Amino acid sequence: MTFAVDVVVMAAGKGTRMKSLRPKVLHRLGGRALAQHVIDCAARLSARSVVVVTGHGAHEVEAGLRAPADGGTALRYVRQEPQLGTGHAVQQAMPVLADDGVTLVLSGDVPLTRPQTLQALLETCAGQSLALLTLDMPDPAGYGRIVRSPDGAVQAIVEHKDASEAQRRIGEVYSGIMAVPTAWLRAWLARLDNRNAQGEYYLTDVVKFAVADGRAVRAHRITDPVEVAGVNSPQQLAELERAQQRRLAESLMTQGVRLADPARLDVRGELSCGQDVEIDVNCVFEGAVELGDGVRIGAHCVIANARIGPGAVIHPFCHIDGDATGVTVGPGALVGPFARLRPGARLGREVHIGNFVEVKNSTLADGAKANHLAYLGDASVGERVNYGAGSITANYDGANKHRTVIEADVHVGSNCVLVAPLTIGEGGTVGAGSVITRDTPAGALSVARGKPVTVPDWKRPARKKG
Ligand code: UD1
Ligand code: CA
């Protein structure tokens, strides 16, 4: 593209039908705010800047969005108070836009427009025409209609409420997205008025000024309504969520990922997969998740911010949440069913974490196992350690957290309490039911529990008669 692109995102509207305290454009789709999808899409077009027009909930909206990660696109905000229509919204952005570029107008509540569609619209504009994104709707009620002359040239956009009966029969509608040389836009916006059925300043009136000025008006007509669908209600949000998930599932399957059912997958962040990954039904992936080659994820797992090494198997019903710290699962590890890995869980190669085991801020070296009903918090667990059922690290003394070190080849029996700070020396054994409060030497057997007592021929008390 030989011209600079500045994007204006209209996001000042109220979103009454969401019936939510949260501003509409901050509602999440695929784990990201609606308007964030729009901003990130602008970045993929290598836009020079994005100007978000805020009004309702402006503070919250401005705090809830971030500039695209690549750093090449500047993010700015302008306020529109009160909201007097889409033309008025774009007017607010004009002071911060330079006349040498093309303005691409988007809406903060239309999240699923593909970058390549906008690219095509910008090519239609080419810095030399007003380009409108349009499509044919089976039920065009509510939309602005594209009025063409007999030779097919676009003459005007007429809003539904202002349209004649004949115009209402037009199936081609304006999507809400246009690209226009900024200098022209500035001049046309200055000529807007609000003498129409809604008493609003319509952005769509720029079309008639373009025609009057003899400027080219061109339509880029698309067919997929999902690309321009807006979110006005929880129902529409849920519909677009499924559409987005379907797109993600398609792209994963195209890469070779085997999904048991593409309709039962939710990715709310970035999921990257190696070769021969299999994902069973009803799994949710959040934040940044990496699945290595040959990973298998069982049904009903929730996995956030984690790296799962090649060949690892996550059995059904696991909750893995790395949060800001992350979780790593080593190659060939087996996790679950019903396991919980919390931030800072670092599992080495072929570690086994079984049912009802919780691991937090702990490193398990290669081949370590905790197969049943256990807690490991703030622990360093050596290679090949076997950590028995029902055992826990008592890492919290009510005020501070302390570390437990379990050296290589230790065997911790069932139902032990390891009271941190504590080191269990290499190759040691801790007898079942022990409460260990002091370091133990390498190779030792440590037992701390009541001595078993056996009374032979013990007669239980008998019930008194009469
Ligand atoms: C608009 C178009 C219509 C098109 C339709 C597609 C106009 C006049 N009409 O109609 O031709 O078919 O989109 O969906 O542009 N907004 C503001 N400030 C305002 C008003 C709106 O920021 O003062 C924002 C809204 O929050 C929303 C976007 O602009 O994100 C579009 O506004 P909306 O009221 O939905 O426009 P429509 O009347 O549906
Ligand atoms: Ca709308």
Side-chain angles (χ1 to χ4, degrees):
M1 213 92 61
T2 54
F3 47 88
V5 177
D6 296 298
V7 175
V8 174
V9 180
M10 297 183 291
K14 187 150 186 222
T16 313
R17 279 192 283 151
M18 289 302 290
K19 302 201 173 124
S20 168
L21 295 175
R22 182 189 300 178
K24 177 167 79 174
V25 295
L26 292 186
H27 281 274
R28 286 174 182 275
L29 181 120
R32 250 186 310 161
L34 292 172
Q36 193 66 51
H37 284 267
V38 182
I39 292 170
D40 294 348
C41 178
R44 290 175 58 188
L45 297 168
S46 306
R48 170 168 67 183
S49 73
V50 178
V51 183
V52 182
V53 183
T54 60
H56 278 283
H59 281 289
E60 224 181 311
V61 172
E62 291 164 19
L65 300 175
R66 52 180 166 65
D70 75 351
T73 303
L75 177 62
R76 286 176 289 184
Y77 296 97
V78 296
R79 295 276 174 92
Q80 186 201 18
E81 278 155 349
Q83 290 82 40
L84 303 178
T86 51
H88 181 250
V90 178
Q91 274 171 353
Q92 310 313 305
M94 294 320 291
V96 303
L97 297 180
D99 274 343
D100 64 344
V102 162
T103 297
L104 174 65
V105 179
L106 305 174
S107 294
D109 56 0
V110 177
L112 294 184
T113 319
R114 292 178 196 271
Q116 52 270 39
T117 299
L118 296 177
Q119 195 65 42
L121 181 73
L122 288 165
E123 278 156 23
T124 301
C125 164
Q128 338 210 9
S129 65
L130 165 58
L132 307 171
L133 190 67
T134 72
L135 75 165
D136 291 284
M137 288 279 192
D139 176 13
Y143 292 94
R145 305 301 204 282
I146 303 295
V147 177
R148 293 177 182 258
S149 62
D151 66 355
V154 176
Q155 292 300 300
I157 299 174
V158 179
E159 291 304 302
H160 181 88
K161 286 187 179 149
D162 299 285
S164 65
E165 274 309 307
Q167 288 168 335
R168 286 185 183 181
R169 283 193 291 272
I170 297 172
E172 188 186 5
V173 305
Y174 171 54
S175 66
I177 296 175
M178 65 170 69
V180 48
T182 304
W184 300 359
L185 179 64
R186 192 183 307 281
W188 295 334
L189 289 177
R191 287 153 67 180
L192 290 182
D193 64 57
N194 65 353
R195 290 191 301 271
N196 52 54
Q198 302 184 79
E200 288 181 8
Y201 294 89
Y202 290 164
L203 175 62
T204 45
D205 280 350
V206 300
V207 176
K208 70 184 182 203
F209 298 138
V211 171
D213 288 359
R215 300 294 192 187
V217 181
R218 298 172 66 189
H220 176 63
R221 215 160 168 164
I222 60 166
T223 54
D224 181 4
V226 166
E227 291 219 47
V228 295
V231 171
N232 297 297
S233 65
Q235 287 85 342
Q236 289 170 344
L237 180 60
E239 264 174 46
L240 289 195
E241 179 72 38
R242 288 335 301 165
Q244 161 78 347
Q245 294 303 336
R246 183 74 213 188
R247 277 189 186 178
L248 291 169
E250 283 296 331
S251 105
L252 288 168
M253 292 189 294
T254 303
Q255 290 162 45
V257 176
R258 292 190 290 279
L259 301 173
D261 182 356
R264 283 182 288 170
L265 170 76
D266 287 271
V267 179
R268 300 174 190 154
E270 299 289 323
L271 174 63
S272 68
C273 295
Q275 198 169 23
D276 282 312
V277 166
E278 292 182 16
I279 301 173
D280 209 333
V281 298
N282 291 338
C283 291
V284 178
F285 297 91
E286 296 177 339
V289 176
E290 265 179 61
L291 307 180
D293 292 344
V295 164
R296 282 190 288 139
I297 308 289
H300 306 282
C301 289
V302 176
I303 302 181
N305 298 305
R307 284 170 47 204
I308 314 293
V313 178
I314 311 295
H315 289 294
F317 296 102
C318 287
H319 188 235
I320 298 178
D321 183 4
D323 200 24
T325 317
V327 162
T328 54
V329 173
L334 304 179
V335 177
F338 298 103
R340 181 172 184 210
L341 303 181
R342 293 171 53 201
R346 312 261 177 240
L347 313 187
R349 185 177 287 276
E350 285 167 32
V351 163
H352 294 185
I353 295 295
N355 44 197
F356 307 106
V357 174
E358 174 181 350
V359 181
K360 183 217 76 171
N361 190 29
S362 293
T363 304
L364 280 78
D366 296 353
K369 295 185 172 70
N371 270 326
H372 329 265
L373 302 159
Y375 175 60
L376 281 161
D378 304 305
S380 300
V381 179
E383 294 178 357
R384 298 171 299 278
V385 163
N386 196 316
Y387 193 76
S391 291
I392 65 154
T393 54
N395 54 327
Y396 183 54
D397 60 14
N400 295 299
K401 300 269 171 74
H402 301 282
R403 283 202 80 77
T404 302
V405 178
I406 304 172
E407 291 181 347
D409 299 302
V410 162
H411 182 103
V412 176
S414 295
N415 260 10
C416 294
V417 179
L418 306 182
V419 182
L422 184 72
T423 298
I424 307 292
E426 184 173 342
T429 302
V430 179
S434 296
V435 177
I436 305 293
T437 55
R438 267 175 277 156
D439 291 358
T440 66
L445 167 67
S446 311
V447 184
R449 61 178 183 232
K451 279 234 149 45
V453 173
T454 305
V455 179
D457 300 326
W458 167 250
K459 298 281 184 299
R460 282 194 294 266
R463 196 181 294 248
K464 285 202 180 102
K465 286 190 180 129

